[in-house]
Amino acid sequence: MIKKTFSPKQIEIFIRLRNELILPFTMNNVDLSSYNSMYNSYINDSAQFICIFDDTYPARLKAIEDAPLSFFKKGRSIDPRKSVAIVGRRKASESAKNIAFHLGYKLAEFGFTIVSGMAEGIDTKGHEGCLRGQGHTIAVFGTPINVIYPKMNTDLAKSIINYGTVISERSFEKSYKHGS
């Protein structure tokens, strides 16, 4: 018999995996129909479920101390070699938004992936500049994967899904209220 020892980090990941992904399915009185409808939503909405043990889980994300056990993804692959986050104020000045746009554009020309949260203001302009520069951008949603916020960024989200990636740790929700 081969004995494998696990590092404290691996043990922590297994415990989190059990608590967040496995226990909800094994508890008594679980309505599996809700899980079935959620699964069907993933399939119909072309989102992928990525687990930390999957080959498609980004190596750089896995390397951080508190890496998510799983997330949902729409769009292209997401393991960039070079990436830069462009984040800032939602109510930014026009000159700050112009700088974010041009920064996203130029970094895309140099092969950098832009990562941001798609919030109004600086985040939006960073994504837009990257797309205009024909680069790859990743939008990290704080909302469920099927909820675009702010609504004014619906077209931007569609472009990011086509030419980049949208990710969220939150699954599909039929009735989502901002701030929940």
Side-chain angles (χ1 to χ4, degrees), residues 83-121:
S83 59
V84 173
I86 297 180
V87 294
R89 295 182 57 118
R90 287 175 171 81
K91 303 293 182 201
S93 68
E94 285 305 310
S95 91
K97 289 192 271 188
N98 286 334
I99 290 169
F101 179 89
H102 291 293
L103 187 60
Y105 182 88
K106 285 296 184 187
L107 287 167
E109 283 186 333
F110 286 104
F112 283 88
T113 295
I114 302 303
V115 181
S116 198
M118 210 179 78
E120 181 180 355

PDB file of all heavy atoms in Angstrom, residues 83-121:
ATOM      1  N   SER A  83      -0.224  39.293 -16.835  1.00  0.00           N
ATOM      2  CA  SER A  83      -1.505  39.959 -16.591  1.00  0.00           C
ATOM      3  C   SER A  83      -1.305  41.176 -15.699  1.00  0.00           C
ATOM      4  O   SER A  83      -0.377  41.221 -14.893  1.00  0.00           O
ATOM      5  CB  SER A  83      -2.512  39.000 -15.963  1.00  0.00           C
ATOM      6  OG  SER A  83      -2.017  38.498 -14.745  1.00  0.00           O
ATOM      7  N   VAL A  84      -2.193  42.139 -15.882  1.00  0.00           N
ATOM      8  CA  VAL A  84      -2.187  43.368 -15.095  1.00  0.00           C
ATOM      9  C   VAL A  84      -3.618  43.674 -14.705  1.00  0.00           C
ATOM     10  O   VAL A  84      -4.530  43.565 -15.532  1.00  0.00           O
ATOM     11  CB  VAL A  84      -1.610  44.551 -15.913  1.00  0.00           C
ATOM     12  CG1 VAL A  84      -1.751  45.856 -15.153  1.00  0.00           C
ATOM     13  CG2 VAL A  84      -0.167  44.312 -16.289  1.00  0.00           C
ATOM     14  N   ALA A  85      -3.822  44.053 -13.455  1.00  0.00           N
ATOM     15  CA  ALA A  85      -5.153  44.466 -13.011  1.00  0.00           C
ATOM     16  C   ALA A  85      -5.293  45.971 -13.197  1.00  0.00           C
ATOM     17  O   ALA A  85      -4.396  46.732 -12.852  1.00  0.00           O
ATOM     18  CB  ALA A  85      -5.359  44.101 -11.548  1.00  0.00           C
ATOM     19  N   ILE A  86      -6.412  46.373 -13.775  1.00  0.00           N
ATOM     20  CA  ILE A  86      -6.752  47.793 -13.871  1.00  0.00           C
ATOM     21  C   ILE A  86      -8.038  47.982 -13.084  1.00  0.00           C
ATOM     22  O   ILE A  86      -9.105  47.535 -13.502  1.00  0.00           O
ATOM     23  CB  ILE A  86      -6.938  48.240 -15.336  1.00  0.00           C
ATOM     24  CG1 ILE A  86      -5.629  48.087 -16.119  1.00  0.00           C
ATOM     25  CG2 ILE A  86      -7.442  49.688 -15.378  1.00  0.00           C
ATOM     26  CD1 ILE A  86      -5.729  48.505 -17.574  1.00  0.00           C
ATOM     27  N   VAL A  87      -7.924  48.607 -11.931  1.00  0.00           N
ATOM     28  CA  VAL A  87      -9.078  48.832 -11.062  1.00  0.00           C
ATOM     29  C   VAL A  87      -9.025  50.260 -10.536  1.00  0.00           C
ATOM     30  O   VAL A  87      -7.959  50.858 -10.445  1.00  0.00           O
ATOM     31  CB  VAL A  87      -9.123  47.838  -9.876  1.00  0.00           C
ATOM     32  CG1 VAL A  87      -9.363  46.430 -10.364  1.00  0.00           C
ATOM     33  CG2 VAL A  87      -7.858  47.904  -9.060  1.00  0.00           C
ATOM     34  N   GLY A  88     -10.169  50.788 -10.226  1.00  0.00           N
ATOM     35  CA  GLY A  88     -10.199  52.156  -9.707  1.00  0.00           C
ATOM     36  C   GLY A  88     -11.601  52.594  -9.352  1.00  0.00           C
ATOM     37  O   GLY A  88     -12.510  51.774  -9.200  1.00  0.00           O
ATOM     38  N   ARG A  89     -11.759  53.883  -9.283  1.00  0.00           N
ATOM     39  CA  ARG A  89     -13.022  54.480  -8.847  1.00  0.00           C
ATOM     40  C   ARG A  89     -14.148  54.255  -9.849  1.00  0.00           C
ATOM     41  O   ARG A  89     -13.929  54.290 -11.052  1.00  0.00           O
ATOM     42  CB  ARG A  89     -12.830  55.975  -8.646  1.00  0.00           C
ATOM     43  CG  ARG A  89     -11.873  56.316  -7.528  1.00  0.00           C
ATOM     44  CD  ARG A  89     -11.793  57.814  -7.393  1.00  0.00           C
ATOM     45  NE  ARG A  89     -13.127  58.344  -7.156  1.00  0.00           N
ATOM     46  CZ  ARG A  89     -13.495  59.002  -6.073  1.00  0.00           C
ATOM     47  NH1 ARG A  89     -12.618  59.247  -5.138  1.00  0.00           N
ATOM     48  NH2 ARG A  89     -14.720  59.437  -5.934  1.00  0.00           N
ATOM     49  N   ARG A  90     -15.317  54.081  -9.311  1.00  0.00           N
ATOM     50  CA  ARG A  90     -16.500  53.978 -10.175  1.00  0.00           C
ATOM     51  C   ARG A  90     -16.873  55.343 -10.738  1.00  0.00           C
ATOM     52  O   ARG A  90     -17.239  55.464 -11.891  1.00  0.00           O
ATOM     53  CB  ARG A  90     -17.675  53.396  -9.387  1.00  0.00           C
ATOM     54  CG  ARG A  90     -17.517  51.913  -9.121  1.00  0.00           C
ATOM     55  CD  ARG A  90     -18.638  51.386  -8.220  1.00  0.00           C
ATOM     56  NE  ARG A  90     -18.625  49.957  -8.133  1.00  0.00           N
ATOM     57  CZ  ARG A  90     -17.817  49.257  -7.338  1.00  0.00           C
ATOM     58  NH1 ARG A  90     -16.941  49.878  -6.582  1.00  0.00           N
ATOM     59  NH2 ARG A  90     -17.879  47.937  -7.311  1.00  0.00           N
ATOM     60  N   LYS A  91     -16.791  56.360  -9.938  1.00  0.00           N
ATOM     61  CA  LYS A  91     -17.128  57.728 -10.359  1.00  0.00           C
ATOM     62  C   LYS A  91     -15.833  58.490 -10.663  1.00  0.00           C
ATOM     63  O   LYS A  91     -15.539  59.505 -10.047  1.00  0.00           O
ATOM     64  CB  LYS A  91     -17.925  58.446  -9.263  1.00  0.00           C
ATOM     65  CG  LYS A  91     -19.197  57.736  -8.861  1.00  0.00           C
ATOM     66  CD  LYS A  91     -20.213  57.738  -9.981  1.00  0.00           C
ATOM     67  CE  LYS A  91     -21.492  57.060  -9.544  1.00  0.00           C
ATOM     68  NZ  LYS A  91     -22.300  56.608 -10.650  1.00  0.00           N
ATOM     69  N   ALA A  92     -15.078  57.993 -11.613  1.00  0.00           N
ATOM     70  CA  ALA A  92     -13.778  58.582 -11.960  1.00  0.00           C
ATOM     71  C   ALA A  92     -13.960  59.774 -12.898  1.00  0.00           C
ATOM     72  O   ALA A  92     -14.969  59.894 -13.594  1.00  0.00           O
ATOM     73  CB  ALA A  92     -12.911  57.524 -12.636  1.00  0.00           C
ATOM     74  N   SER A  93     -12.954  60.624 -12.929  1.00  0.00           N
ATOM     75  CA  SER A  93     -12.958  61.761 -13.853  1.00  0.00           C
ATOM     76  C   SER A  93     -12.783  61.250 -15.282  1.00  0.00           C
ATOM     77  O   SER A  93     -12.312  60.124 -15.503  1.00  0.00           O
ATOM     78  CB  SER A  93     -11.827  62.722 -13.509  1.00  0.00           C
ATOM     79  OG  SER A  93     -10.576  62.107 -13.781  1.00  0.00           O
ATOM     80  N   GLU A  94     -13.153  62.077 -16.241  1.00  0.00           N
ATOM     81  CA  GLU A  94     -12.990  61.699 -17.649  1.00  0.00           C
ATOM     82  C   GLU A  94     -11.526  61.456 -17.979  1.00  0.00           C
ATOM     83  O   GLU A  94     -11.194  60.541 -18.727  1.00  0.00           O
ATOM     84  CB  GLU A  94     -13.587  62.769 -18.577  1.00  0.00           C
ATOM     85  CG  GLU A  94     -15.101  62.746 -18.619  1.00  0.00           C
ATOM     86  CD  GLU A  94     -15.682  61.390 -18.994  1.00  0.00           C
ATOM     87  OE1 GLU A  94     -15.250  60.786 -20.008  1.00  0.00           O
ATOM     88  OE2 GLU A  94     -16.577  60.923 -18.266  1.00  0.00           O
ATOM     89  N   SER A  95     -10.637  62.264 -17.425  1.00  0.00           N
ATOM     90  CA  SER A  95      -9.209  62.064 -17.729  1.00  0.00           C
ATOM     91  C   SER A  95      -8.709  60.745 -17.146  1.00  0.00           C
ATOM     92  O   SER A  95      -7.928  60.039 -17.778  1.00  0.00           O
ATOM     93  CB  SER A  95      -8.374  63.258 -17.258  1.00  0.00           C
ATOM     94  OG  SER A  95      -7.893  63.124 -15.971  1.00  0.00           O
ATOM     95  N   ALA A  96      -9.172  60.367 -15.958  1.00  0.00           N
ATOM     96  CA  ALA A  96      -8.776  59.080 -15.372  1.00  0.00           C
ATOM     97  C   ALA A  96      -9.312  57.921 -16.211  1.00  0.00           C
ATOM     98  O   ALA A  96      -8.609  56.922 -16.437  1.00  0.00           O
ATOM     99  CB  ALA A  96      -9.270  58.976 -13.937  1.00  0.00           C
ATOM    100  N   LYS A  97     -10.544  58.054 -16.696  1.00  0.00           N
ATOM    101  CA  LYS A  97     -11.117  57.002 -17.544  1.00  0.00           C
ATOM    102  C   LYS A  97     -10.353  56.897 -18.863  1.00  0.00           C
ATOM    103  O   LYS A  97     -10.118  55.785 -19.352  1.00  0.00           O
ATOM    104  CB  LYS A  97     -12.606  57.257 -17.782  1.00  0.00           C
ATOM    105  CG  LYS A  97     -13.440  57.024 -16.515  1.00  0.00           C
ATOM    106  CD  LYS A  97     -14.918  56.978 -16.803  1.00  0.00           C
ATOM    107  CE  LYS A  97     -15.534  58.345 -16.729  1.00  0.00           C
ATOM    108  NZ  LYS A  97     -17.004  58.331 -16.825  1.00  0.00           N
ATOM    109  N   ASN A  98      -9.949  58.027 -19.423  1.00  0.00           N
ATOM    110  CA  ASN A  98      -9.138  58.001 -20.654  1.00  0.00           C
ATOM    111  C   ASN A  98      -7.799  57.309 -20.427  1.00  0.00           C
ATOM    112  O   ASN A  98      -7.333  56.540 -21.272  1.00  0.00           O
ATOM    113  CB  ASN A  98      -8.914  59.419 -21.199  1.00  0.00           C
ATOM    114  CG  ASN A  98     -10.147  59.987 -21.849  1.00  0.00           C
ATOM    115  OD1 ASN A  98     -11.003  59.252 -22.329  1.00  0.00           O
ATOM    116  ND2 ASN A  98     -10.252  61.309 -21.839  1.00  0.00           N
ATOM    117  N   ILE A  99      -7.182  57.578 -19.288  1.00  0.00           N
ATOM    118  CA  ILE A  99      -5.901  56.932 -18.957  1.00  0.00           C
ATOM    119  C   ILE A  99      -6.101  55.423 -18.834  1.00  0.00           C
ATOM    120  O   ILE A  99      -5.305  54.636 -19.361  1.00  0.00           O
ATOM    121  CB  ILE A  99      -5.303  57.527 -17.659  1.00  0.00           C
ATOM    122  CG1 ILE A  99      -4.831  58.958 -17.925  1.00  0.00           C
ATOM    123  CG2 ILE A  99      -4.165  56.653 -17.129  1.00  0.00           C
ATOM    124  CD1 ILE A  99      -4.480  59.741 -16.675  1.00  0.00           C
ATOM    125  N   ALA A 100      -7.167  54.996 -18.158  1.00  0.00           N
ATOM    126  CA  ALA A 100      -7.443  53.556 -17.996  1.00  0.00           C
ATOM    127  C   ALA A 100      -7.663  52.894 -19.353  1.00  0.00           C
ATOM    128  O   ALA A 100      -7.162  51.790 -19.605  1.00  0.00           O
ATOM    129  CB  ALA A 100      -8.656  53.345 -17.096  1.00  0.00           C
ATOM    130  N   PHE A 101      -8.405  53.578 -20.238  1.00  0.00           N
ATOM    131  CA  PHE A 101      -8.652  53.040 -21.574  1.00  0.00           C
ATOM    132  C   PHE A 101      -7.333  52.872 -22.338  1.00  0.00           C
ATOM    133  O   PHE A 101      -7.060  51.801 -22.894  1.00  0.00           O
ATOM    134  CB  PHE A 101      -9.599  53.961 -22.355  1.00  0.00           C
ATOM    135  CG  PHE A 101      -9.890  53.479 -23.744  1.00  0.00           C
ATOM    136  CD1 PHE A 101     -10.954  52.626 -23.977  1.00  0.00           C
ATOM    137  CD2 PHE A 101      -9.089  53.856 -24.815  1.00  0.00           C
ATOM    138  CE1 PHE A 101     -11.223  52.164 -25.258  1.00  0.00           C
ATOM    139  CE2 PHE A 101      -9.360  53.395 -26.100  1.00  0.00           C
ATOM    140  CZ  PHE A 101     -10.423  52.547 -26.328  1.00  0.00           C
ATOM    141  N   HIS A 102      -6.524  53.917 -22.365  1.00  0.00           N
ATOM    142  CA  HIS A 102      -5.254  53.861 -23.114  1.00  0.00           C
ATOM    143  C   HIS A 102      -4.270  52.873 -22.489  1.00  0.00           C
ATOM    144  O   HIS A 102      -3.517  52.207 -23.207  1.00  0.00           O
ATOM    145  CB  HIS A 102      -4.650  55.255 -23.256  1.00  0.00           C
ATOM    146  CG  HIS A 102      -5.451  56.127 -24.172  1.00  0.00           C
ATOM    147  ND1 HIS A 102      -5.564  55.885 -25.525  1.00  0.00           N
ATOM    148  CD2 HIS A 102      -6.219  57.207 -23.922  1.00  0.00           C
ATOM    149  CE1 HIS A 102      -6.348  56.789 -26.072  1.00  0.00           C
ATOM    150  NE2 HIS A 102      -6.771  57.609 -25.119  1.00  0.00           N
ATOM    151  N   LEU A 103      -4.282  52.766 -21.175  1.00  0.00           N
ATOM    152  CA  LEU A 103      -3.437  51.778 -20.503  1.00  0.00           C
ATOM    153  C   LEU A 103      -3.857  50.366 -20.903  1.00  0.00           C
ATOM    154  O   LEU A 103      -3.013  49.531 -21.256  1.00  0.00           O
ATOM    155  CB  LEU A 103      -3.535  51.964 -18.990  1.00  0.00           C
ATOM    156  CG  LEU A 103      -2.609  51.135 -18.127  1.00  0.00           C
ATOM    157  CD1 LEU A 103      -1.146  51.420 -18.449  1.00  0.00           C
ATOM    158  CD2 LEU A 103      -2.871  51.429 -16.651  1.00  0.00           C
ATOM    159  N   GLY A 104      -5.154  50.088 -20.881  1.00  0.00           N
ATOM    160  CA  GLY A 104      -5.658  48.779 -21.311  1.00  0.00           C
ATOM    161  C   GLY A 104      -5.300  48.494 -22.752  1.00  0.00           C
ATOM    162  O   GLY A 104      -4.883  47.378 -23.100  1.00  0.00           O
ATOM    163  N   TYR A 105      -5.428  49.499 -23.605  1.00  0.00           N
ATOM    164  CA  TYR A 105      -5.122  49.358 -25.035  1.00  0.00           C
ATOM    165  C   TYR A 105      -3.632  49.030 -25.254  1.00  0.00           C
ATOM    166  O   TYR A 105      -3.292  48.079 -25.955  1.00  0.00           O
ATOM    167  CB  TYR A 105      -5.497  50.651 -25.761  1.00  0.00           C
ATOM    168  CG  TYR A 105      -5.264  50.622 -27.244  1.00  0.00           C
ATOM    169  CD1 TYR A 105      -6.257  50.152 -28.095  1.00  0.00           C
ATOM    170  CD2 TYR A 105      -4.065  51.057 -27.800  1.00  0.00           C
ATOM    171  CE1 TYR A 105      -6.060  50.118 -29.467  1.00  0.00           C
ATOM    172  CE2 TYR A 105      -3.862  51.018 -29.168  1.00  0.00           C
ATOM    173  CZ  TYR A 105      -4.856  50.554 -29.995  1.00  0.00           C
ATOM    174  OH  TYR A 105      -4.655  50.517 -31.349  1.00  0.00           O
ATOM    175  N   LYS A 106      -2.767  49.830 -24.648  1.00  0.00           N
ATOM    176  CA  LYS A 106      -1.315  49.638 -24.841  1.00  0.00           C
ATOM    177  C   LYS A 106      -0.833  48.320 -24.233  1.00  0.00           C
ATOM    178  O   LYS A 106      -0.004  47.625 -24.829  1.00  0.00           O
ATOM    179  CB  LYS A 106      -0.529  50.814 -24.243  1.00  0.00           C
ATOM    180  CG  LYS A 106      -0.592  52.049 -25.076  1.00  0.00           C
ATOM    181  CD  LYS A 106       0.068  51.789 -26.408  1.00  0.00           C
ATOM    182  CE  LYS A 106       0.120  53.022 -27.265  1.00  0.00           C
ATOM    183  NZ  LYS A 106       0.606  52.735 -28.615  1.00  0.00           N
ATOM    184  N   LEU A 107      -1.320  47.984 -23.054  1.00  0.00           N
ATOM    185  CA  LEU A 107      -0.914  46.718 -22.439  1.00  0.00           C
ATOM    186  C   LEU A 107      -1.356  45.532 -23.290  1.00  0.00           C
ATOM    187  O   LEU A 107      -0.627  44.538 -23.412  1.00  0.00           O
ATOM    188  CB  LEU A 107      -1.457  46.607 -21.013  1.00  0.00           C
ATOM    189  CG  LEU A 107      -0.761  47.508 -19.990  1.00  0.00           C
ATOM    190  CD1 LEU A 107      -1.561  47.567 -18.698  1.00  0.00           C
ATOM    191  CD2 LEU A 107       0.664  47.047 -19.732  1.00  0.00           C
ATOM    192  N   ALA A 108      -2.543  45.631 -23.893  1.00  0.00           N
ATOM    193  CA  ALA A 108      -3.014  44.573 -24.792  1.00  0.00           C
ATOM    194  C   ALA A 108      -2.078  44.441 -25.989  1.00  0.00           C
ATOM    195  O   ALA A 108      -1.762  43.318 -26.406  1.00  0.00           O
ATOM    196  CB  ALA A 108      -4.437  44.872 -25.259  1.00  0.00           C
ATOM    197  N   GLU A 109      -1.623  45.562 -26.524  1.00  0.00           N
ATOM    198  CA  GLU A 109      -0.688  45.516 -27.662  1.00  0.00           C
ATOM    199  C   GLU A 109       0.608  44.794 -27.301  1.00  0.00           C
ATOM    200  O   GLU A 109       1.228  44.174 -28.155  1.00  0.00           O
ATOM    201  CB  GLU A 109      -0.355  46.929 -28.140  1.00  0.00           C
ATOM    202  CG  GLU A 109      -1.446  47.576 -28.956  1.00  0.00           C
ATOM    203  CD  GLU A 109      -1.011  48.918 -29.518  1.00  0.00           C
ATOM    204  OE1 GLU A 109      -0.142  49.597 -28.924  1.00  0.00           O
ATOM    205  OE2 GLU A 109      -1.542  49.283 -30.579  1.00  0.00           O
ATOM    206  N   PHE A 110       1.000  44.871 -26.035  1.00  0.00           N
ATOM    207  CA  PHE A 110       2.219  44.198 -25.573  1.00  0.00           C
ATOM    208  C   PHE A 110       1.963  42.787 -25.058  1.00  0.00           C
ATOM    209  O   PHE A 110       2.833  42.156 -24.477  1.00  0.00           O
ATOM    210  CB  PHE A 110       2.915  45.028 -24.493  1.00  0.00           C
ATOM    211  CG  PHE A 110       3.615  46.240 -25.028  1.00  0.00           C
ATOM    212  CD1 PHE A 110       3.075  47.508 -24.872  1.00  0.00           C
ATOM    213  CD2 PHE A 110       4.817  46.115 -25.719  1.00  0.00           C
ATOM    214  CE1 PHE A 110       3.712  48.622 -25.377  1.00  0.00           C
ATOM    215  CE2 PHE A 110       5.463  47.224 -26.230  1.00  0.00           C
ATOM    216  CZ  PHE A 110       4.908  48.487 -26.061  1.00  0.00           C
ATOM    217  N   GLY A 111       0.731  42.296 -25.254  1.00  0.00           N
ATOM    218  CA  GLY A 111       0.423  40.910 -24.909  1.00  0.00           C
ATOM    219  C   GLY A 111      -0.011  40.664 -23.483  1.00  0.00           C
ATOM    220  O   GLY A 111      -0.067  39.514 -23.043  1.00  0.00           O
ATOM    221  N   PHE A 112      -0.330  41.706 -22.752  1.00  0.00           N
ATOM    222  CA  PHE A 112      -0.793  41.531 -21.379  1.00  0.00           C
ATOM    223  C   PHE A 112      -2.294  41.263 -21.353  1.00  0.00           C
ATOM    224  O   PHE A 112      -3.045  41.817 -22.153  1.00  0.00           O
ATOM    225  CB  PHE A 112      -0.508  42.775 -20.534  1.00  0.00           C
ATOM    226  CG  PHE A 112       0.920  42.902 -20.106  1.00  0.00           C
ATOM    227  CD1 PHE A 112       1.846  43.539 -20.917  1.00  0.00           C
ATOM    228  CD2 PHE A 112       1.333  42.380 -18.893  1.00  0.00           C
ATOM    229  CE1 PHE A 112       3.158  43.656 -20.535  1.00  0.00           C
ATOM    230  CE2 PHE A 112       2.657  42.488 -18.500  1.00  0.00           C
ATOM    231  CZ  PHE A 112       3.572  43.125 -19.318  1.00  0.00           C
ATOM    232  N   THR A 113      -2.724  40.433 -20.425  1.00  0.00           N
ATOM    233  CA  THR A 113      -4.134  40.217 -20.152  1.00  0.00           C
ATOM    234  C   THR A 113      -4.542  41.226 -19.088  1.00  0.00           C
ATOM    235  O   THR A 113      -3.845  41.394 -18.092  1.00  0.00           O
ATOM    236  CB  THR A 113      -4.376  38.787 -19.629  1.00  0.00           C
ATOM    237  OG1 THR A 113      -4.044  37.867 -20.660  1.00  0.00           O
ATOM    238  CG2 THR A 113      -5.813  38.583 -19.207  1.00  0.00           C
ATOM    239  N   ILE A 114      -5.673  41.885 -19.312  1.00  0.00           N
ATOM    240  CA  ILE A 114      -6.185  42.841 -18.336  1.00  0.00           C
ATOM    241  C   ILE A 114      -7.226  42.138 -17.474  1.00  0.00           C
ATOM    242  O   ILE A 114      -8.143  41.495 -17.975  1.00  0.00           O
ATOM    243  CB  ILE A 114      -6.813  44.071 -19.037  1.00  0.00           C
ATOM    244  CG1 ILE A 114      -5.788  44.754 -19.945  1.00  0.00           C
ATOM    245  CG2 ILE A 114      -7.408  45.040 -18.021  1.00  0.00           C
ATOM    246  CD1 ILE A 114      -4.512  45.197 -19.258  1.00  0.00           C
ATOM    247  N   VAL A 115      -7.082  42.286 -16.165  1.00  0.00           N
ATOM    248  CA  VAL A 115      -8.005  41.688 -15.209  1.00  0.00           C
ATOM    249  C   VAL A 115      -8.671  42.817 -14.433  1.00  0.00           C
ATOM    250  O   VAL A 115      -7.989  43.720 -13.947  1.00  0.00           O
ATOM    251  CB  VAL A 115      -7.277  40.744 -14.227  1.00  0.00           C
ATOM    252  CG1 VAL A 115      -8.254  40.114 -13.250  1.00  0.00           C
ATOM    253  CG2 VAL A 115      -6.480  39.689 -14.978  1.00  0.00           C
ATOM    254  N   SER A 116      -9.992  42.762 -14.329  1.00  0.00           N
ATOM    255  CA  SER A 116     -10.715  43.780 -13.581  1.00  0.00           C
ATOM    256  C   SER A 116     -12.091  43.258 -13.216  1.00  0.00           C
ATOM    257  O   SER A 116     -12.450  42.140 -13.574  1.00  0.00           O
ATOM    258  CB  SER A 116     -10.806  45.070 -14.399  1.00  0.00           C
ATOM    259  OG  SER A 116     -11.125  46.162 -13.551  1.00  0.00           O
ATOM    260  N   GLY A 117     -12.868  44.093 -12.539  1.00  0.00           N
ATOM    261  CA  GLY A 117     -14.161  43.659 -12.043  1.00  0.00           C
ATOM    262  C   GLY A 117     -15.359  44.117 -12.846  1.00  0.00           C
ATOM    263  O   GLY A 117     -16.480  43.873 -12.451  1.00  0.00           O
ATOM    264  N   MET A 118     -15.144  44.822 -13.945  1.00  0.00           N
ATOM    265  CA  MET A 118     -16.190  45.318 -14.829  1.00  0.00           C
ATOM    266  C   MET A 118     -17.123  46.318 -14.148  1.00  0.00           C
ATOM    267  O   MET A 118     -18.242  46.557 -14.598  1.00  0.00           O
ATOM    268  CB  MET A 118     -16.994  44.176 -15.462  1.00  0.00           C
ATOM    269  CG  MET A 118     -17.528  44.560 -16.833  1.00  0.00           C
ATOM    270  SD  MET A 118     -18.440  43.246 -17.635  1.00  0.00           S
ATOM    271  CE  MET A 118     -19.995  43.336 -16.792  1.00  0.00           C
ATOM    272  N   ALA A 119     -16.666  46.915 -13.058  1.00  0.00           N
ATOM    273  CA  ALA A 119     -17.470  47.955 -12.421  1.00  0.00           C
ATOM    274  C   ALA A 119     -17.477  49.190 -13.311  1.00  0.00           C
ATOM    275  O   ALA A 119     -16.615  49.362 -14.180  1.00  0.00           O
ATOM    276  CB  ALA A 119     -16.884  48.299 -11.047  1.00  0.00           C
ATOM    277  N   GLU A 120     -18.442  50.045 -13.078  1.00  0.00           N
ATOM    278  CA  GLU A 120     -18.522  51.311 -13.802  1.00  0.00           C
ATOM    279  C   GLU A 120     -17.240  52.120 -13.552  1.00  0.00           C
ATOM    280  O   GLU A 120     -16.628  52.016 -12.500  1.00  0.00           O
ATOM    281  CB  GLU A 120     -19.737  52.085 -13.280  1.00  0.00           C
ATOM    282  CG  GLU A 120     -19.981  53.401 -13.947  1.00  0.00           C
ATOM    283  CD  GLU A 120     -21.192  54.118 -13.382  1.00  0.00           C
ATOM    284  OE1 GLU A 120     -21.901  53.553 -12.529  1.00  0.00           O
ATOM    285  OE2 GLU A 120     -21.424  55.248 -13.818  1.00  0.00           O
ATOM    286  N   GLY A 121     -16.802  52.880 -14.519  1.00  0.00           N
ATOM    287  CA  GLY A 121     -15.652  53.758 -14.330  1.00  0.00           C
ATOM    288  C   GLY A 121     -14.360  53.156 -14.851  1.00  0.00           C
ATOM    289  O   GLY A 121     -14.274  52.722 -16.000  1.00  0.00           O
TER     290      GLY A 121
END
